[in-house]
Amino acid sequence: MKLIEDELNAVNEQLSNIYIDNKIILQSLKSFLTGGSKRIRTTVTALYLKSNELEVSADSIKIMTAAELIHNASLLHDDVIDRTKLRRGKSTLAEEFSPYISILAGDYLLSIATELLMQINNPKVLEIFLNCTKQMCNSEINQFFLRGKAPDLKEYIEICRGKTAALFEALLESCALIEGAPAQKAKEFAEHFGILFQLKNDLDSASAKTDAENEIFTPKDFLGIEKTIDLMDNYQRKLQEAVCSFPDNIYKKGMESLLSKL
């Protein structure tokens, strides 16, 4: 994390300056945005850019901040869908105030994210993120209607790609585009990272409990633990192969360290 401390601080500063014209929920919303998050999306993007000896410009910081806002907006919506009472060790906005407030706060964050993306003054970046949010919503809808049913592996991977990997893809592709790097290569790396990240999350005990309560089947249910780990290893290998082509520097080692923790 020390390797990308400047980028993390810059994103956190922008998030801490988010304002909503309602003093009742302002502090709770700020606390939600700034407390407890690992900033994995910012982390992997900053490491990817710096390990490939690319600049992390002010526009890329805005894109990272927008992605964090979109991610947090999706969590506010998820808390309503899943009836979640605690998030990052604190009461959710849905529990503290109302599910309606949680939905509206999520929508508000999406609006701020869109404003930030418009400041980039690159129509392609806005197009990438609009397509991303459509994928996220579509996958959540599909997952909802699969409750109580075991998906096949293809259906599951498509849901992973939409609900999780799509935002990683939009972020890395957009920043690569802004910094003059091959965007398709960054997008492919992000897709593999996002799917692996979701697979890992679905094995987490807390997530497994929530999934069971909501009748959501994950690979451990229809493949078994051993085959799920084999699937994760496959994505891990793809990522490691990609990192091998990066220039040798401390940021590459940082990326390798990050991957080893997934």
Side-chain angles (χ1 to χ4, degrees), residues 1-15:
M1 304 301 280
K2 284 280 186 182
L3 297 175
I4 53 163
E5 189 173 27
D6 290 344
E7 289 75 21
L8 286 170
N9 287 341
V11 169
N12 285 331
E13 183 179 359
Q14 291 197 10
L15 290 172

Side-chain angles (χ1 to χ4, degrees), residues 115-131:
E115 285 180 343
L116 276 173
L117 293 170
M118 289 178 69
Q119 291 174 20
I120 307 300
N121 199 27
N122 186 319
K124 180 63 178 174
V125 169
L126 190 57
E127 179 188 335
I128 288 169
F129 271 91
L130 288 174
N131 184 55

Side-chain angles (χ1 to χ4, degrees), residues 78 82 84 140 143 146-149 156 159-160 163 198-222:
D78 282 350
D82 298 334
T84 307
E140 288 289 356
Q143 186 174 64
L146 275 170
R147 289 187 177 200
K149 305 172 188 175
Y156 171 79
I159 288 172
C160 284
K163 68 180 272 188
Q198 185 60 54
L199 281 162
K200 179 76 160 62
N201 187 69
D202 286 343
L203 282 180
D204 178 77
S205 57
S207 294
K209 183 175 182 292
T210 302
D211 288 338
E213 289 171 351
N214 289 294
E215 297 183 281
I216 294 172
F217 289 85
T218 56
K220 66 181 183 302
D221 302 310
F222 57 88

Side-chain angles (χ1 to χ4, degrees), residues 100-113:
Y100 305 110
I101 291 299
S102 192
I103 291 169
L104 291 169
D107 292 347
Y108 184 79
L109 295 185
L110 289 173
S111 298
I112 297 173

